[in-house]
Amino acid sequence: MMYDVIVVGARCAGSPLAMLLARKGYRVALVDRATFPSDVPHGHVILYRGVRFLRDWGLLERVERSNCPPIRRHTFDLGDFPLSGFPPAYDGIPGELAPRRYALDKLLVDAAVEAGAELREGCAVESLLWEGDRVTGIRYQTPTGAVAEEHTRVVVGADGRHSRVARAVSATPYRERPSLTCGYYSYWNGLASDDLEVHILPRPALALAFPTNDNLTCVAVQWPVAEFHAVRANIEKAFFAVLDLIPSLAARVRAGGREERFRGTADLLSYIRQASGPGWALVGDAGAHKDPLLATGISDAFNDAATLAEALDSGLSGREPLDASLAAWGRQRGATILPSYESSCLAASFPPPSPELLRLRAAIRRNQAAIDAFLGLGRGTMTDEVFTRLVA
Ligand SMILES: Cc1cc2nc3c(=O)[nH]c(=O)nc-3n(C[C@H](O)[C@H](O)[C@H](O)COP(=O)(O)OP(=O)(O)OC[C@H]3O[C@@H](n4cnc5c(N)ncnc54)[C@H](O)[C@@H]3O)c2cc1C
């Protein structure tokens, strides 16, 4: 069987891509070594621009039905004082979302299968097949341990930050940075919290709390990576040493009950990789990985899926030569990812807030309309121009 596209990796980047291509009538295989539903120690928060993709794909209601509430209220504290409010609406989107990955990834996989993609769960891709310098297929291990091959016009690596596809095609990384932060998180009951709270402390550290599925609140702390060994030696102590600097949050977390173990990592290096070549492309973390501090990874993965589906449609349908459409998409992806990549690297180095920013926050402190607009700046639902007019 000759596929049009084989997608390796079936989570935020791979499943939507497989779904969009299958909806256009292409023969797509979606291969993952995991089975679904399954959790990953990755992120949750989907920014407004990411939620818009879910709505456009007809999947927003499914996420909400998974018992995951929309996040409408935001609190943003730079160590001076918290500002709380409601960022302006964005293209009719009710709010941001922070689903558990076992819920989100499963419904994305299901949507791809409903569209006609062929799912191969429990199948680990080991290497790629080549004709000259062109990728033509995959060699993989089936759940029984047998080795099988499949042929295709394009292989897409959506296989995360340790991407085997990226390694096999020797995709050149650029703008690499080592891990700048480390983080731990877990889930608490009884916090009755329905807003996304971000506290960036001068210590420096970041504390984050947001509602996720089934009435649980995810609470996370990120530190400079230099603290990783000390944090790991006693996670709970290090976690509460930061939370205790935010007494209102610490009191609520202590009053609640932790439902799961702490999970965390310091494996957060940043890179952008060459995104395409003859017969291959990379999406999501396989193509670019950023420190998660600004929570852009899932939304960027959705954008990769949407844009690559269009480019592949042009190439596979013959409207454009396939290699040219892949090359153009790769250049475009590199340019599109750059602003969020550089912002994430900067934020992860915990720069002190500028005096201008602190003055601005103090000036709008008792003006709720200005606070709402200010919060929208950070979430991409308010432009600098409109904000400047509003507070002038
Ligand atoms: C601690 C942490 C917190 C984060 N917080 C946020 C956040 O709040 N918001 C946000 O937007 N982003 C966050 N991120 C980033 C976000 O999780 C990623 O950007 C996102 O998961 C990328 O999705 P993906 O589909 O590209 O890769 P992944 O989710 O990594 O999925 C890759 C898939 O490929 C499969 N795979 C790998 N190798 C093979 C192989 N050889 N054969 C077959 N299958 C294979 C894996 O089994 C996996 O299912 C966070 C990341 C971390 C680490």
Side-chain angles (χ1 to χ4, degrees):
M1 162 92 149
M2 175 77 168
Y3 289 99
D4 293 310
V5 180
I6 294 177
V7 182
V8 184
R11 294 191 188 269
C12 304
S15 283
L17 175 64
M19 174 192 75
L20 293 169
L21 291 169
R23 283 180 181 175
K24 289 176 190 289
Y26 292 106
R27 277 167 303 179
V28 183
L30 181 59
V31 184
D32 203 302
R33 65 183 174 205
T35 56
F36 297 89
S38 54
D39 213 357
V40 274
H42 291 181
H44 311 66
V45 178
I46 310 177
L47 306 175
Y48 283 91
R49 63 185 169 89
V51 176
R52 185 169 59 168
F53 282 115
L54 290 171
R55 189 223 25 216
D56 293 350
W57 296 336
L59 302 177
L60 179 52
E61 276 187 12
R62 294 190 196 190
V63 181
E64 289 175 338
R65 275 205 308 269
S66 76
N67 201 11
C68 178
I71 299 166
R72 297 198 172 87
R73 192 165 181 275
H74 289 243
T75 293
F76 184 46
D77 172 17
L78 280 180
D80 45 0
F81 44 80
L83 291 177
S84 296
F86 296 84
Y90 174 74
D91 198 18
I93 302 297
E96 296 187 335
L97 288 163
R100 294 292 297 265
R101 291 297 294 272
Y102 61 69
L104 176 70
D105 296 348
K106 170 68 173 151
L107 72 85
L108 294 175
V109 167
D110 287 349
V113 171
E114 276 167 35
E118 205 180 290
L119 177 64
R120 306 276 175 91
E121 295 178 274
C123 291
V125 172
E126 293 181 338
S127 57
L128 302 183
L129 308 178
W130 297 81
E131 274 173 30
D133 67 350
R134 174 172 295 280
V135 174
T136 57
I138 58 168
R139 182 172 295 115
Y140 65 102
Q141 202 171 66
T142 70
T144 62
V147 174
E149 293 183 352
E150 297 292 350
H151 296 266
T152 181
R153 295 177 71 189
V154 180
V155 171
V156 178
D159 48 346
R161 61 189 193 276
H162 301 294
S163 168
R164 191 168 278 251
V165 176
R167 225 178 317 139
V169 298
S170 306
T172 318
Y174 55 101
R175 291 184 186 249
E176 288 171 279
R177 309 252 168 62
S179 297
L180 296 169
T181 71
C182 59
Y184 278 93
Y185 65 90
S186 188
Y187 305 92
W188 273 261
N189 63 36
L191 260 72
S193 145
D194 60 1
D195 60 342
L196 184 139
E197 285 185 50
V198 179
H199 302 266
I200 301 178
L201 304 169
R203 192 183 172 283
L206 170 132
L208 194 66
F210 52 83
T212 183
N213 294 71
D214 305 327
N215 302 315
L216 295 182
T217 300
C218 179
V219 185
V221 174
Q222 258 178 281
W223 298 260
V225 72
E227 296 189 42
F228 184 54
H229 293 295
V231 169
R232 201 166 50 166
N234 190 338
I235 299 165
E236 184 140 21
K237 184 168 167 231
F239 200 85
F240 278 97
V242 171
L243 288 195
D244 283 338
L245 300 171
I246 315 151
S248 65
L249 180 59
R252 279 177 290 141
V253 176
R254 286 188 197 283
R258 180 154 63 84
E259 292 270 343
E260 296 184 24
R261 66 183 172 86
F262 282 103
R263 291 181 213 195
T265 185
D267 176 17
L268 295 170
L269 74 166
S270 300
Y271 55 78
I272 309 179
R273 289 191 179 120
Q274 176 194 351
S276 61
W280 63 269
L282 300 173
V283 289
D285 282 5
H289 186 258
K290 293 141 280 165
D291 186 282
L293 202 126
L294 296 184
T296 59
I298 299 170
S299 304
D300 287 340
F302 287 172
N303 189 60
D304 282 356
T307 54
L308 182 59
E310 290 305 314
L312 283 172
D313 185 30
S314 281
L316 293 167
S317 64
R319 285 200 302 278
E320 208 184 334
L322 180 57
D323 286 358
S325 70
L326 275 175
W329 175 81
R331 282 192 299 276
Q332 181 61 36
R333 204 295 313 258
T336 312
I337 202 88
L338 210 49
S340 87
Y341 181 82
E342 289 299 341
S343 311
S344 297
C345 292
L346 180 64
S349 65
F350 289 107
S354 69
E356 296 78 36
L357 181 57
L358 294 175
R359 270 201 298 278
L360 171 69
R361 287 169 56 88
I364 64 171
R365 193 173 178 180
R366 294 183 211 297
N367 177 346
Q368 191 59 50
I371 293 172
D372 291 346
F374 174 77
L375 293 168
L377 283 177
R379 312 313 287 179
T381 73
M382 166 65 51
T383 63
D384 287 341
E385 293 73 34
V386 176
F387 179 72
T388 308
R389 276 207 304 279
L390 198 79
V391 296

